[in-house]
Amino acid sequence: MSRTGQRPPANQGYKRNQAPPQQRSSPRQPAVKLKANAGLQQRAAEEPRQHMAANQPGPQSQASANQSSKQPKLTSLLRSSDYGLHRQQGEAEGWKSAVHRYISLYNQAETEQHAQVLSDFVTDAEHCERLRCRLERLRERELLRGVLPAGSETKAELVRVNESPNEVSVLIKLHIRRRMEQHGRFYMEERSEYERLWLCPAGKSWDVMRVEPIISERRPRYGASADNWMTVDDYTFSEGERATPSMPYLNYDLFPQFKHRQPGIPYRRDLVAAYADRWWNEGNPAYELFEVNCTNYVSQCVFAGNAPMNYTGKRESGWWYKGRNKGQENWSFSWAVSNALTHYLGGKRVSGLRVETVLSADELQLGDIITYDWNGDNRFQHSTIVTAFDAAGMPLVNANTVASRHRYWDYRDSYAWTEQTRYRFFHIADLM
């Protein structure tokens, strides 16, 4: 099995087979921050939605506070550092204050990797146990990796609110950013996920009675509508399909200059990572956005790296995408369904998208693929793409649906993970 590049020593970075940071990530970082800040200010001024932020690191500097005091008051943007101040000033403690406190405690639990601080506030015993197990797995994993949390920030957006005199239900979108330290080096891990909270009045305050995490990674349906193909998560390829050569979807009569091109298209791993980091938390409008978008996103990333489509015109074979035309879905199951992609990548091909199944995550390179079978029943429900490496050379992955960026590959920090979880590791060939 050919490999390009070697794994760096633990004290020399955490990424392999990608362009230097100044070529890809550095120029975009300031733009992302500016865009995010501008978006928050605009939404706060228009107030179409409520936003809350919980910052676990220390209080703001005096300079930042002075600068903020000169700006218009952003009533729809709340910070955890403001929570105690608001209470001291005697503000009425409604359900929004309870949600704000929940976010602050959630962030503290993520940082400390202990559930007790949040369990003391939430009365939902089932969720508290679920949270305890997840954070316990996370703590044990980070200890084995030699990773220390160096700070955490959690922001929340109110997506939907249903109010009644005796109960309020709130759907919130959490965005978690965790700064990790490993062997003296730092990296940022991000993810966005949804939770539904139920709150009830308790005197002058409100209690969080129930919490339901939305575990999209485990959902069986994949697609944008209610068509039957979304349920084809047990799709497998025939022996004839496994032997079919993979050919790009191109009309060479329109491109005569390509008719006699030399074989061997390089797989651009740097372009895969760049595309994955650009679209990890939103959908590329050039493609259909599915309700469960993880495999569609991974397929787009691989295609962005020069992988040729295998256009067969049949949804149950090949790996291809043409979009939606007059309500008709024109893409293969393998493009958008994790289980179908797993079986397609496991097939043997002599050209096109050639893939080798490897035994462990440390054999993967940038732009390679991992699929996840949460129940151990050989039906794969989730797909990720390798976009970076930690200081020990282990993969960090991106995903969409539960949007994740530079998340550790094993997903033990997910509610979807179980003791029966199995993985498939796919190394894509350097030449197509």
Side-chain angles (χ1 to χ4, degrees):
M1 175 174 58
S2 62
R3 288 286 186 271
T4 58
Q6 297 179 354
R7 183 176 308 151
N11 60 352
Q12 296 187 14
Y14 57 86
K15 297 186 180 181
R16 294 180 290 174
N17 296 334
Q18 69 181 77
Q22 64 270 22
Q23 297 181 18
R24 181 168 63 86
S25 59
S26 295
R28 190 163 61 251
Q29 288 299 329
V32 171
K33 291 181 180 179
L34 290 174
K35 181 179 179 181
N37 292 336
L40 285 173
Q41 293 176 5
Q42 179 180 359
R43 288 195 298 270
E46 298 173 354
E47 295 189 0
R49 292 182 176 180
Q50 299 290 331
H51 294 264
M52 285 159 282
N55 300 316
Q56 185 61 26
Q60 294 179 329
S61 64
Q62 186 65 35
S64 299
N66 293 337
Q67 182 179 3
S68 300
S69 63
K70 298 178 183 179
Q71 298 176 349
K73 184 178 180 182
L74 305 181
T75 55
S76 61
L77 180 64
L78 305 178
R79 297 177 175 85
S80 61
S81 56
D82 298 333
Y83 180 73
L85 178 62
H86 291 171
R87 299 224 9 180
Q88 292 175 8
Q89 293 175 347
E91 289 192 6
E93 189 172 358
W95 65 263
K96 292 181 183 178
S97 180
V99 174
H100 186 187
R101 185 181 179 193
Y102 173 84
I103 296 163
S104 180
L105 295 176
Y106 179 98
N107 187 68
Q108 184 178 345
E110 279 278 331
T111 303
E112 298 174 353
Q113 298 178 356
H114 284 279
Q116 186 65 43
V117 62
L118 191 59
S119 300
D120 290 342
F121 177 65
V122 176
T123 60
D124 185 344
E126 180 180 355
H127 178 69
C128 289
E129 177 64 15
R130 182 165 50 216
L131 176 67
R132 183 194 66 79
C133 292
R134 183 178 72 82
L135 292 179
E136 187 175 277
R137 293 197 305 268
L138 178 61
R139 185 170 64 253
E140 292 176 352
R141 187 191 70 184
E142 308 300 36
L143 287 173
L144 291 174
R145 294 176 60 206
V147 171
L148 296 174
S152 177
E153 178 187 54
T154 301
K155 296 181 180 180
E157 180 181 350
L158 300 185
V159 179
R160 187 178 302 113
V161 177
N162 294 316
E163 297 186 67
S164 68
N166 298 320
E167 182 182 78
V168 173
S169 65
V170 183
L171 178 64
I172 60 176
K173 180 181 180 180
L174 296 167
H175 182 84
I176 303 99
R177 301 176 76 244
R178 302 172 66 231
R179 189 166 184 257
M180 316 300 293
E181 178 184 2
Q182 185 182 32
H183 305 318
R185 300 193 62 88
F186 295 86
Y187 70 91
M188 189 70 70
E189 174 186 291
E190 300 181 71
R191 73 180 191 274
S192 295
E193 53 191 33
Y194 291 85
E195 288 188 349
R196 186 175 286 107
L197 311 180
W198 282 265
L199 304 98
C200 292
K204 295 182 179 180
S205 62
W206 289 71
D207 289 340
V208 179
M209 305 299 296
R210 182 181 169 196
V211 180
E212 177 186 293
I214 310 301
I215 311 176
S216 299
E217 297 138 330
R218 294 186 63 88
R219 298 183 65 176
R221 291 182 176 270
Y222 291 72
S225 64
D227 294 343
N228 291 332
W229 80 271
M230 293 194 306
T231 61
V232 187
D233 59 351
D234 56 349
Y235 170 71
T236 58
F237 286 82
S238 66
E239 291 301 320
E241 163 61 18
R242 290 180 180 273
T244 301
S246 177
M247 298 298 293
Y249 173 54
L250 288 175
N251 185 345
Y252 288 110
D253 291 334
L254 300 178
F255 302 96
Q257 65 272 27
F258 294 125
K259 282 189 175 182
H260 304 291
R261 62 180 174 83
Q262 295 295 322
I265 304 173
Y267 184 50
R268 290 288 303 276
R269 301 180 185 277
D270 57 334
L271 296 182
V272 175
Y275 185 96
D277 280 349
R278 168 62 184 86
W279 297 106
W280 73 274
N281 62 345
E282 60 180 323
N284 184 344
Y287 292 89
E288 192 81 12
L289 179 62
F290 300 151
E291 184 179 358
V292 177
N293 201 54
C294 61
T295 306
N296 176 40
Y297 165 76
V298 167
S299 292
Q300 292 175 34
C301 294
V302 174
F303 183 62
N306 285 341
M309 291 188 190
N310 178 11
Y311 180 75
T312 64
K314 300 178 181 179
R315 308 201 66 189
E316 66 276 7
S317 64
W319 177 73
W320 54 274
Y321 178 94
K322 289 185 64 179
R324 185 185 293 271
N325 182 21
K326 297 180 179 179
Q328 182 178 0
E329 298 170 338
N330 292 311
W331 52 79
S332 64
F333 295 138
S334 59
W335 183 273
V337 181
S338 183
N339 200 61
L341 177 64
T342 300
H343 286 284
Y344 180 77
L345 295 177
K348 301 297 182 182
R349 278 167 291 278
V350 296
S351 63
L353 181 55
R354 294 182 296 110
V355 179
E356 178 182 0
T357 304
V358 296
L359 297 179
S360 60
D362 60 2
E363 299 181 68
L364 298 176
Q365 297 181 21
L366 207 68
D368 288 343
I369 296 172
I370 304 176
T371 58
Y372 301 74
D373 167 17
W374 304 120
N375 302 319
D377 59 0
N378 206 35
R379 295 191 179 192
F380 291 81
Q381 298 172 285
H382 187 51
S383 310
T384 65
I385 191 87
V386 178
T387 54
F389 295 86
D390 68 8
M394 297 302 292
L396 305 175
V397 299
N398 282 26
N400 202 260
T401 300
V402 177
S404 303
R405 179 178 181 270
H406 296 180
R407 189 171 182 175
Y408 193 70
W409 68 269
D410 69 2
Y411 264 66
R412 292 176 66 91
D413 60 341
S414 170
Y415 288 120
W417 189 90
T418 70
E419 295 289 347
Q420 291 75 42
T421 296
R422 299 292 181 267
Y423 310 92
R424 287 282 177 85
F425 306 109
F426 296 106
H427 169 67
I428 299 177
D430 294 324
L431 291 177
M432 302 295 173

